Coordinates of all heavy atoms in Angstrom, one line a residue:
M1 N 32.4 96.6 97.3 CA 33.7 96.0 97.0 C 33.8 96.1 95.4 O 33.0 95.6 94.7 CB 33.8 94.6 97.5 CG 35.2 94.1 97.5 SD 35.3 92.4 98.3 CE 35.3 92.9 100.0
S2 N 34.9 96.6 95.0 CA 35.1 96.8 93.6 C 35.1 95.5 92.8 O 35.8 94.5 93.2 CB 36.5 97.5 93.4 OG 36.8 97.5 92.0
G3 N 34.4 95.5 91.7 CA 34.4 94.3 90.8 C 33.4 93.2 91.2 O 33.3 92.2 90.5
F4 N 32.7 93.4 92.3 CA 31.7 92.4 92.7 C 30.3 92.9 92.4 O 30.0 94.1 92.4 CB 31.8 92.2 94.2 CG 33.0 91.4 94.7 CD1 34.3 91.9 94.6 CD2 32.8 90.1 95.1 CE1 35.4 91.1 95.0 CE2 33.9 89.3 95.5 CZ 35.2 89.8 95.5
V5 N 29.5 91.9 92.0 CA 28.1 92.2 91.6 C 27.2 91.4 92.5 O 27.5 90.3 92.8 CB 27.8 92.0 90.1 CG1 28.7 92.9 89.3 CG2 28.0 90.5 89.8
R6 N 26.0 92.0 92.8 CA 25.0 91.3 93.6 C 24.4 90.2 92.8 O 24.0 90.3 91.6 CB 23.9 92.3 94.0 CG 22.8 91.7 94.8 CD 21.6 92.7 94.7 NE 20.6 92.3 95.6 CZ 19.6 91.4 95.4 NH1 19.6 90.7 94.2 NH2 18.7 91.1 96.3
I7 N 24.3 89.0 93.4 CA 23.5 87.9 92.7 C 22.3 87.5 93.5 O 21.4 86.8 92.9 CB 24.4 86.7 92.3 CG1 25.0 86.0 93.6 CG2 25.5 87.1 91.4 CD1 25.6 84.6 93.3
C8 N 22.2 87.8 94.8 CA 21.0 87.5 95.5 C 21.1 88.2 96.9 O 22.1 88.7 97.2 CB 20.7 86.0 95.7 SG 21.8 85.1 96.8
S9 N 20.0 88.2 97.6 CA 20.0 88.8 98.9 C 20.5 87.8 99.9 O 20.4 86.5 99.7 CB 18.6 89.3 99.3 OG 17.7 88.1 99.5
Q10 N 20.9 88.3 101.1 CA 21.3 87.4 102.1 C 20.2 86.4 102.6 O 20.4 85.3 102.9 CB 21.8 88.2 103.3 CG 22.5 87.4 104.4 CD 23.3 88.3 105.3 OE1 23.2 89.5 105.3 NE2 24.1 87.6 106.2
A11 N 18.9 87.0 102.5 CA 17.8 86.2 102.9 C 17.6 85.0 102.0 O 16.9 84.0 102.4 CB 16.5 87.0 102.9
E12 N 18.1 85.0 100.8 CA 17.9 83.9 99.8 C 19.0 82.8 99.9 O 19.0 81.8 99.2 CB 17.9 84.5 98.4 CG 16.7 85.4 98.1 CD 16.8 86.1 96.8 OE1 17.7 86.9 96.6 OE2 16.0 85.8 95.9
L13 N 20.0 83.0 100.8 CA 21.1 82.1 100.9 C 20.6 80.8 101.4 O 19.6 80.7 102.2 CB 22.2 82.6 101.8 CG 22.9 83.9 101.2 CD1 23.9 84.4 102.3 CD2 23.6 83.6 99.9
P14 N 21.2 79.6 101.0 CA 20.8 78.3 101.5 C 21.2 78.2 103.0 O 22.1 78.8 103.4 CB 21.5 77.3 100.7 CG 22.7 78.1 100.2 CD 22.3 79.5 100.1
P15 N 20.4 77.4 103.8 CA 20.8 77.2 105.1 C 22.0 76.3 105.2 O 22.4 75.7 104.2 CB 19.6 76.5 105.7 CG 18.8 75.9 104.6 CD 19.1 76.8 103.4
A16 N 22.6 76.2 106.3 CA 23.8 75.3 106.5 C 23.6 73.9 106.0 O 22.6 73.3 106.3 CB 24.3 75.3 108.0
G17 N 24.6 73.4 105.2 CA 24.5 72.1 104.7 C 23.7 71.9 103.5 O 23.4 70.8 103.1
E18 N 23.3 73.0 102.9 CA 22.5 73.0 101.7 C 23.1 73.8 100.5 O 24.0 74.6 100.8 CB 21.0 73.4 101.9 CG 20.3 72.5 102.8 CD 18.8 72.8 102.9 OE1 18.3 73.5 102.1 OE2 18.2 72.3 103.9
V19 N 22.6 73.6 99.3 CA 23.1 74.3 98.2 C 21.9 74.8 97.4 O 20.8 74.2 97.5 CB 24.0 73.3 97.3 CG1 23.2 72.1 96.8 CG2 24.7 74.0 96.2
R20 N 22.1 75.9 96.7 CA 21.0 76.5 95.9 C 21.6 77.0 94.6 O 22.7 77.4 94.5 CB 20.5 77.6 96.8 CG 19.2 78.3 96.2 CD 18.5 79.0 97.2 NE 17.9 78.1 98.2 CZ 17.4 78.5 99.4 NH1 17.4 79.7 99.7 NH2 16.8 77.6 100.2
E21 N 20.7 76.9 93.6 CA 21.0 77.5 92.3 C 20.5 78.9 92.2 O 19.4 79.2 92.6 CB 20.3 76.6 91.2 CG 20.7 76.9 89.8 CD 20.1 75.9 88.9 OE1 18.9 75.8 88.7 OE2 20.9 75.1 88.3
V22 N 21.4 79.8 91.7 CA 21.0 81.2 91.6 C 21.3 81.6 90.2 O 22.4 81.4 89.7 CB 21.8 82.1 92.6 CG1 21.6 83.6 92.3 CG2 21.5 81.7 94.0
M23 N 20.3 82.2 89.5 CA 20.5 82.8 88.2 C 20.7 84.3 88.3 O 19.9 85.0 88.9 CB 19.3 82.5 87.3 CG 18.8 81.1 87.4 SD 19.6 80.0 86.3 CE 18.4 78.7 86.1
A24 N 21.8 84.8 87.7 CA 22.0 86.2 87.7 C 23.1 86.5 86.7 O 23.9 85.6 86.4 CB 22.5 86.6 89.1
E25 N 23.1 87.7 86.2 CA 24.1 88.2 85.3 C 24.2 87.3 84.1 O 25.3 87.1 83.5 CB 25.5 88.3 86.0 CG 25.5 89.3 87.2 CD 25.4 90.7 86.7 OE1 26.0 91.1 85.7 OE2 24.7 91.5 87.3
G26 N 23.1 86.7 83.7 CA 23.1 85.8 82.5 C 23.8 84.5 82.7 O 24.1 83.8 81.7
R27 N 24.0 84.1 83.9 CA 24.6 82.8 84.1 C 24.0 82.1 85.4 O 23.2 82.7 86.1 CB 26.1 82.9 84.2 CG 26.7 83.8 85.2 CD 28.2 84.0 85.1 NE 28.9 82.8 85.5 CZ 30.2 82.8 85.7 NH1 31.0 83.8 85.4 NH2 30.8 81.7 86.1
T28 N 24.5 80.9 85.6 CA 24.0 80.1 86.8 C 25.1 79.9 87.8 O 26.2 79.5 87.4 CB 23.5 78.8 86.3 OG1 22.5 79.0 85.2 CG2 22.8 78.0 87.4
F29 N 24.8 80.1 89.0 CA 25.7 80.0 90.1 C 25.2 78.9 91.0 O 24.1 78.7 91.2 CB 25.9 81.3 90.9 CG 26.4 82.4 90.1 CD1 25.5 83.3 89.5 CD2 27.8 82.6 89.9 CE1 26.0 84.4 88.7 CE2 28.3 83.6 89.1 CZ 27.4 84.5 88.5
C30 N 26.2 78.2 91.6 CA 25.9 77.2 92.7 C 26.4 77.8 94.0 O 27.6 78.1 94.2 CB 26.7 75.9 92.4 SG 26.8 74.8 93.7
V31 N 25.4 78.1 94.8 CA 25.7 78.7 96.1 C 25.6 77.7 97.2 O 24.5 77.1 97.4 CB 24.8 79.9 96.4 CG1 25.1 80.6 97.7 CG2 24.9 81.0 95.3
A32 N 26.7 77.4 97.9 CA 26.7 76.4 99.0 C 26.9 77.0 100.3 O 27.7 78.0 100.5 CB 27.7 75.4 98.7
N33 N 26.3 76.4 101.3 CA 26.5 76.8 102.7 C 27.2 75.7 103.4 O 26.5 74.7 103.7 CB 25.2 77.2 103.4 CG 25.4 77.8 104.8 OD1 26.3 77.4 105.4 ND2 24.5 78.6 105.2
I34 N 28.5 75.8 103.7 CA 29.2 74.8 104.3 C 29.5 75.2 105.8 O 30.3 76.0 106.1 CB 30.6 74.6 103.6 CG1 30.4 74.4 102.1 CG2 31.3 73.4 104.2 CD1 29.7 73.2 101.6
D35 N 28.7 74.6 106.6 CA 28.8 74.9 108.1 C 28.7 76.4 108.3 O 29.5 76.9 109.2 CB 30.1 74.3 108.6 CG 30.1 72.8 108.5 OD1 29.0 72.2 108.6 OD2 31.2 72.2 108.4
G36 N 27.9 77.1 107.6 CA 27.7 78.5 107.8 C 28.5 79.4 107.0 O 28.3 80.6 106.9
A37 N 29.5 78.8 106.2 CA 30.3 79.6 105.3 C 29.8 79.5 103.9 O 29.6 78.4 103.4 CB 31.8 79.1 105.4
I38 N 29.6 80.6 103.3 CA 29.0 80.6 101.9 C 30.2 80.5 100.9 O 31.2 81.2 101.0 CB 28.2 81.9 101.6 CG1 27.0 82.0 102.5 CG2 27.8 82.0 100.2 CD1 26.0 80.9 102.3
A39 N 30.0 79.6 99.9 CA 30.9 79.4 98.9 C 30.1 79.4 97.6 O 29.0 78.9 97.5 CB 31.7 78.1 99.0
V40 N 30.8 79.9 96.5 CA 30.1 79.9 95.2 C 30.9 79.3 94.1 O 32.2 79.5 94.0 CB 29.8 81.4 94.8 CG1 29.1 81.5 93.4 CG2 29.0 82.1 95.9
L41 N 30.3 78.4 93.4 CA 30.9 77.7 92.2 C 30.1 78.1 91.0 O 28.9 78.5 91.1 CB 30.9 76.2 92.4 CG 31.6 75.6 93.6 CD1 31.3 74.1 93.7 CD2 33.1 75.9 93.6
D42 N 30.7 77.9 89.8 CA 29.9 78.0 88.6 C 28.8 77.0 88.7 O 29.1 75.8 89.2 CB 30.8 77.7 87.4 CG 30.1 78.0 86.1 OD1 29.3 77.2 85.7 OD2 30.4 79.0 85.5
G43 N 27.6 77.3 88.3 CA 26.5 76.4 88.4 C 26.5 75.3 87.4 O 25.6 74.4 87.5
I44 N 27.4 75.3 86.4 CA 27.4 74.2 85.4 C 28.6 73.2 85.7 O 29.7 73.6 85.8 CB 27.7 74.8 84.0 CG1 26.7 76.0 83.7 CG2 27.6 73.8 82.9 CD1 25.2 75.5 83.7
C45 N 28.2 72.0 86.0 CA 29.2 71.0 86.3 C 30.2 70.8 85.2 O 29.8 70.7 84.0 CB 28.4 69.7 86.6 SG 29.5 68.3 87.0
P46 N 31.5 70.7 85.5 CA 32.5 70.5 84.4 C 32.5 69.1 83.8 O 33.1 68.9 82.8 CB 33.8 70.8 85.2 CG 33.5 70.5 86.6 CD 32.1 70.8 86.8
H47 N 31.7 68.2 84.4 CA 31.7 66.9 83.8 C 30.8 66.9 82.6 O 31.4 66.8 81.5 CB 31.1 65.9 84.9 CG 31.0 64.5 84.3 ND1 30.0 63.7 84.6 CD2 31.8 63.8 83.4 CE1 30.1 62.5 84.0 NE2 31.2 62.5 83.3
R48 N 29.5 67.0 82.7 CA 28.7 67.0 81.5 C 27.6 68.1 81.6 O 26.5 67.9 81.0 CB 28.0 65.6 81.3 CG 29.1 64.6 80.9 CD 28.5 63.4 80.2 NE 29.5 62.4 80.0 CZ 29.2 61.1 79.8 NH1 28.0 60.7 79.8 NH2 30.2 60.3 79.5
G49 N 27.9 69.1 82.3 CA 27.0 70.3 82.3 C 25.8 70.1 83.3 O 24.8 70.9 83.1
G50 N 25.9 69.3 84.2 CA 24.8 69.1 85.2 C 24.6 70.4 86.1 O 25.5 71.2 86.2
P51 N 23.4 70.5 86.7 CA 23.1 71.7 87.5 C 23.7 71.5 88.9 O 23.0 71.0 89.8 CB 21.6 71.7 87.5 CG 21.2 70.2 87.4 CD 22.3 69.6 86.6
L52 N 24.9 72.0 89.1 CA 25.5 71.8 90.4 C 24.7 72.4 91.6 O 24.7 71.9 92.7 CB 26.9 72.5 90.4 CG 28.1 71.7 90.0 CD1 29.4 72.5 90.3 CD2 28.2 70.4 90.8
G53 N 24.0 73.5 91.3 CA 23.3 74.2 92.3 C 22.0 73.4 92.7 O 21.4 73.8 93.7
Q54 N 21.7 72.3 92.0 CA 20.6 71.5 92.4 C 21.1 70.2 93.1 O 20.3 69.2 93.3 CB 19.8 71.1 91.2 CG 19.1 72.3 90.6 CD 18.4 72.0 89.3 OE1 17.9 70.9 89.1 NE2 18.2 73.0 88.4
G55 N 22.4 70.2 93.4 CA 23.0 69.0 94.1 C 22.8 69.1 95.6 O 21.8 69.7 96.1
I56 N 23.7 68.4 96.3 CA 23.6 68.4 97.7 C 25.0 68.7 98.3 O 26.0 68.6 97.5 CB 23.2 67.0 98.3 CG1 24.1 65.9 97.8 CG2 21.7 66.7 97.8 CD1 23.9 64.5 98.5
V57 N 25.0 69.0 99.6 CA 26.3 69.1 100.3 C 26.6 67.8 101.0 O 25.7 67.3 101.8 CB 26.3 70.3 101.3 CG1 27.5 70.3 102.2 CG2 26.2 71.6 100.5
E58 N 27.8 67.3 100.8 CA 28.1 66.0 101.5 C 29.6 66.1 102.0 O 30.5 66.4 101.1 CB 27.9 64.9 100.6 CG 27.7 63.5 101.3 CD 27.3 62.5 100.3 OE1 28.2 62.0 99.5 OE2 26.1 62.2 100.2
E59 N 29.8 66.0 103.3 CA 31.2 66.1 103.8 C 31.9 67.3 103.3 O 33.1 67.3 102.9 CB 32.0 64.8 103.5 CG 31.4 63.6 104.1 CD 32.1 62.3 103.8 OE1 33.1 62.3 103.1 OE2 31.7 61.3 104.3
G60 N 31.2 68.5 103.3 CA 31.9 69.7 102.9 C 32.1 69.9 101.4 O 32.7 70.9 101.0
R61 N 31.5 69.0 100.6 CA 31.7 69.2 99.2 C 30.3 69.3 98.5 O 29.3 68.8 99.1 CB 32.4 68.0 98.6 CG 33.8 67.8 99.1 CD 34.4 66.6 98.4 NE 35.8 66.4 98.9 CZ 36.0 65.6 100.0 NH1 35.1 65.1 100.7 NH2 37.3 65.5 100.4
V62 N 30.3 69.9 97.3 CA 29.0 70.0 96.6 C 29.0 68.7 95.6 O 30.0 68.5 94.9 CB 29.0 71.2 95.7 CG1 27.8 71.2 94.7 CG2 28.8 72.5 96.6
V63 N 27.9 68.0 95.7 CA 27.8 66.8 94.9 C 26.8 67.0 93.8 O 25.6 67.4 94.0 CB 27.3 65.6 95.8 CG1 27.2 64.3 94.9 CG2 28.3 65.4 96.9
C64 N 27.2 66.8 92.6 CA 26.4 67.0 91.4 C 25.2 66.0 91.4 O 25.5 64.8 91.6 CB 27.2 66.9 90.1 SG 26.3 67.2 88.6
P65 N 24.0 66.5 91.0 CA 22.9 65.6 91.0 C 22.9 64.6 89.9 O 22.2 63.6 89.9 CB 21.7 66.5 90.9 CG 22.2 67.7 90.2 CD 23.6 67.9 90.7
W66 N 23.7 64.8 88.8 CA 23.7 63.9 87.7 C 24.5 62.6 87.8 O 24.0 61.5 87.7 CB 24.1 64.7 86.4 CG 23.0 65.5 85.9 CD1 21.8 65.9 86.5 CD2 22.9 66.2 84.6 NE1 21.0 66.7 85.7 CE2 21.7 66.9 84.5 CE3 23.8 66.3 83.5 CZ2 21.4 67.7 83.4 CZ3 23.5 67.1 82.4 CH2 22.2 67.7 82.4
H67 N 25.8 62.8 88.2 CA 26.6 61.6 88.3 C 27.4 61.6 89.6 O 28.4 60.8 89.7 CB 27.6 61.4 87.1 CG 26.9 61.7 85.7 ND1 26.9 62.9 85.1 CD2 26.1 60.8 85.0 CE1 26.2 62.8 83.9 NE2 25.7 61.6 83.9
A68 N 27.0 62.4 90.5 CA 27.6 62.4 91.9 C 29.1 62.7 92.0 O 29.7 62.3 92.9 CB 27.3 61.1 92.5
W69 N 29.6 63.5 91.0 CA 30.9 64.0 91.2 C 30.9 64.9 92.4 O 29.9 65.8 92.5 CB 31.5 64.7 90.0 CG 31.9 63.8 88.9 CD1 31.5 62.5 88.6 CD2 32.8 64.1 87.8 NE1 32.1 62.0 87.5 CE2 32.9 63.0 87.0 CE3 33.6 65.2 87.5 CZ2 33.7 62.9 85.9 CZ3 34.4 65.2 86.4 CH2 34.4 64.1 85.6
A70 N 31.9 64.9 93.3 CA 31.9 65.7 94.5 C 33.0 66.8 94.4 O 34.2 66.4 94.2 CB 32.1 64.9 95.7
F71 N 32.7 68.0 94.5 CA 33.7 69.1 94.3 C 34.0 69.8 95.6 O 33.1 70.2 96.4 CB 33.1 70.1 93.3 CG 32.9 69.5 91.9 CD1 31.6 69.0 91.6 CD2 33.9 69.4 91.0 CE1 31.4 68.5 90.3 CE2 33.7 68.8 89.8 CZ 32.5 68.3 89.4
D72 N 35.3 70.0 95.9 CA 35.7 70.9 97.0 C 35.3 72.3 96.7 O 35.6 72.8 95.6 CB 37.3 70.7 97.1 CG 37.8 71.5 98.3 OD1 37.7 72.7 98.3 OD2 38.4 70.8 99.2
V73 N 34.7 73.0 97.6 CA 34.2 74.3 97.4 C 35.3 75.4 97.4 O 35.2 76.5 96.9 CB 33.1 74.8 98.3 CG1 31.8 73.9 98.1 CG2 33.5 74.8 99.8
H74 N 36.5 75.0 97.9 CA 37.6 76.0 98.0 C 38.5 75.9 96.8 O 39.0 76.9 96.3 CB 38.4 75.7 99.3 CG 37.6 75.8 100.5 ND1 37.0 77.0 100.9 CD2 37.2 74.9 101.4 CE1 36.3 76.8 102.0 NE2 36.4 75.5 102.3
T75 N 38.7 74.7 96.3 CA 39.6 74.5 95.2 C 38.9 74.2 93.9 O 39.4 74.3 92.8 CB 40.6 73.3 95.4 OG1 39.9 72.1 95.5 CG2 41.4 73.6 96.7
G76 N 37.7 73.7 94.0 CA 36.9 73.3 92.9 C 37.2 71.9 92.4 O 36.5 71.3 91.5
A77 N 38.2 71.2 93.0 CA 38.7 69.9 92.5 C 37.7 68.8 92.9 O 37.1 68.8 93.9 CB 40.0 69.6 93.2
A78 N 37.5 67.9 91.9 CA 36.7 66.8 92.1 C 37.4 65.8 93.0 O 38.6 65.6 92.9 CB 36.3 66.1 90.8
L79 N 36.6 65.1 93.9 CA 37.2 64.2 94.9 C 38.0 63.1 94.2 O 39.1 62.8 94.6 CB 36.1 63.7 95.8 CG 36.5 62.7 96.8 CD1 37.5 63.4 97.8 CD2 35.3 62.2 97.6
H80 N 37.4 62.5 93.2 CA 38.1 61.3 92.6 C 39.1 61.7 91.5 O 39.9 60.8 91.1 CB 37.0 60.5 91.9 CG 36.4 61.2 90.7 ND1 35.6 62.3 90.8 CD2 36.5 60.9 89.4 CE1 35.3 62.7 89.5 NE2 35.8 61.8 88.7
N81 N 39.1 63.0 91.1 CA 40.1 63.4 90.1 C 40.4 64.9 90.3 O 39.6 65.7 89.7 CB 39.5 63.1 88.7 CG 40.5 63.6 87.6 OD1 41.6 64.1 87.9 ND2 40.0 63.5 86.4
P82 N 41.4 65.2 91.0 CA 41.7 66.6 91.3 C 41.9 67.5 90.0 O 41.9 68.7 90.1 CB 43.0 66.6 92.1 CG 43.0 65.2 92.7 CD 42.3 64.3 91.7
N83 N 42.2 66.9 88.9 CA 42.4 67.7 87.7 C 41.1 68.1 87.1 O 41.0 69.0 86.2 CB 43.2 66.8 86.7 CG 44.6 66.6 87.1 OD1 45.2 67.5 87.7 ND2 45.1 65.5 86.9
A84 N 40.0 67.5 87.5 CA 38.6 67.9 87.0 C 38.1 68.9 88.0 O 37.9 68.6 89.2 CB 37.7 66.7 87.0
K85 N 38.0 70.2 87.6 CA 37.7 71.2 88.5 C 36.4 72.0 88.1 O 36.3 72.4 86.9 CB 38.8 72.2 88.6 CG 40.0 71.6 89.3 CD 41.0 72.7 89.7 CE 42.2 72.1 90.5 NZ 43.1 73.1 91.0
A86 N 35.6 72.3 89.1 CA 34.5 73.3 88.9 C 35.2 74.7 89.2 O 36.1 74.8 89.9 CB 33.4 73.0 90.0
Q87 N 34.6 75.7 88.5 CA 35.1 77.0 88.7 C 34.7 77.6 90.0 O 33.5 77.7 90.3 CB 34.6 77.9 87.6 CG 35.2 79.3 87.7 CD 34.6 80.3 86.7 OE1 33.7 80.0 85.9 NE2 35.1 81.5 86.7
V88 N 35.7 78.0 90.9 CA 35.4 78.6 92.1 C 35.3 80.1 91.9 O 36.1 80.7 91.2 CB 36.5 78.3 93.2 CG1 36.2 79.1 94.5 CG2 36.6 76.8 93.4
I89 N 34.2 80.7 92.4 CA 34.0 82.2 92.2 C 34.1 82.9 93.5 O 33.5 82.6 94.5 CB 32.6 82.3 91.6 CG1 32.5 81.6 90.2 CG2 32.2 83.8 91.5 CD1 31.2 81.5 89.6
D90 N 35.0 84.0 93.5 CA 35.1 84.8 94.7 C 33.8 85.4 95.1 O 33.1 85.9 94.2 CB 36.1 86.0 94.4 CG 37.5 85.5 94.3 OD1 37.8 84.4 94.8 OD2 38.4 86.2 93.7
A91 N 33.5 85.3 96.3 CA 32.2 85.8 96.8 C 32.3 86.4 98.2 O 33.2 86.1 98.9 CB 31.2 84.6 96.9
V92 N 31.4 87.3 98.4 CA 31.4 88.0 99.7 C 29.9 88.3 100.1 O 29.1 88.6 99.2 CB 32.3 89.3 99.7 CG1 31.7 90.3 98.7 CG2 32.4 89.9 101.1
V93 N 29.6 88.1 101.4 CA 28.3 88.5 101.9 C 28.5 89.8 102.6 O 29.2 89.9 103.6 CB 27.7 87.5 102.8 CG1 26.3 87.9 103.3 CG2 27.5 86.1 102.0
E94 N 27.9 90.9 102.1 CA 28.0 92.2 102.9 C 26.7 93.0 102.5 O 26.1 92.9 101.5 CB 29.3 92.9 102.5 CG 29.4 93.3 101.1 CD 30.8 94.0 100.8 OE1 31.6 94.0 101.7 OE2 30.9 94.5 99.7
D95 N 26.4 93.8 103.5 CA 25.2 94.7 103.3 C 24.0 94.0 102.9 O 23.2 94.5 102.1 CB 25.5 95.8 102.3 CG 26.7 96.7 102.7 OD1 27.0 96.8 103.9 OD2 27.4 97.2 101.8
G96 N 23.8 92.8 103.4 CA 22.6 92.0 103.2 C 22.5 91.4 101.8 O 21.5 91.0 101.3
E97 N 23.7 91.3 101.1 CA 23.7 90.8 99.7 C 24.8 89.8 99.5 O 25.9 89.9 100.2 CB 23.9 91.9 98.7 CG 22.9 93.0 98.7 CD 23.1 94.0 97.6 OE1 24.3 94.2 97.3 OE2 22.1 94.6 97.2
L98 N 24.6 88.8 98.6 CA 25.7 88.0 98.2 C 26.3 88.6 96.9 O 25.5 88.8 95.9 CB 25.3 86.5 97.9 CG 26.3 85.6 97.3 CD1 27.5 85.5 98.2 CD2 25.7 84.3 97.0
R99 N 27.5 88.9 96.9 CA 28.2 89.5 95.7 C 29.3 88.6 95.3 O 30.0 88.0 96.1 CB 28.7 90.9 96.1 CG 27.6 91.9 96.5 CD 28.2 93.1 97.1 NE 27.2 94.0 97.6 CZ 27.3 95.0 98.4 NH1 28.6 95.3 98.8 NH2 26.3 95.8 98.8
V100 N 29.4 88.5 94.0 CA 30.5 87.7 93.4 C 31.3 88.5 92.4 O 30.8 89.5 91.8 CB 29.9 86.4 92.7 CG1 29.1 85.6 93.6 CG2 29.0 86.9 91.5
K101 N 32.5 88.0 92.2 CA 33.4 88.7 91.2 C 33.3 87.9 89.9 O 33.6 86.7 89.9 CB 34.8 88.7 91.8 CG 35.8 89.5 91.0 CD 37.0 89.8 91.8 CE 37.8 90.9 91.2 NZ 39.0 91.3 92.0
I102 N 32.8 88.6 88.9 CA 32.7 87.9 87.6 C 33.4 88.7 86.5 O 33.7 89.8 86.7 CB 31.2 87.6 87.2 CG1 30.4 88.9 87.3 CG2 30.6 86.6 88.2 CD1 29.0 88.7 86.8
Ligands
LIG1 S1 27.3 66.2 85.0 FE1 27.9 66.6 87.0 S2 28.8 64.7 87.6 FE2 28.2 64.4 85.6

């Protein structure tokens, strides 16, 4: 797919209900598995730079491990403040790879 780059193999994806940090292309990504659907956010929390990919999944959102802000994986919006947004990154799983548009 044009404009997409591989950041990890399908085998490295987190299981359902978990999140994982992936380093690739000189940056950090937060890869979440929400009930089997893979979503990718920028790995740096917009609050104070916490490692979103080291957080947890709770009620379909990624929760930052530092101060527990919870982000919608589709919009990036924080639960308590929709104006505070994590960057949502277009992603696709194909040919055994997770690819993102950066
Ligand atoms: S740095 Fe993520 S919630 Fe504060």
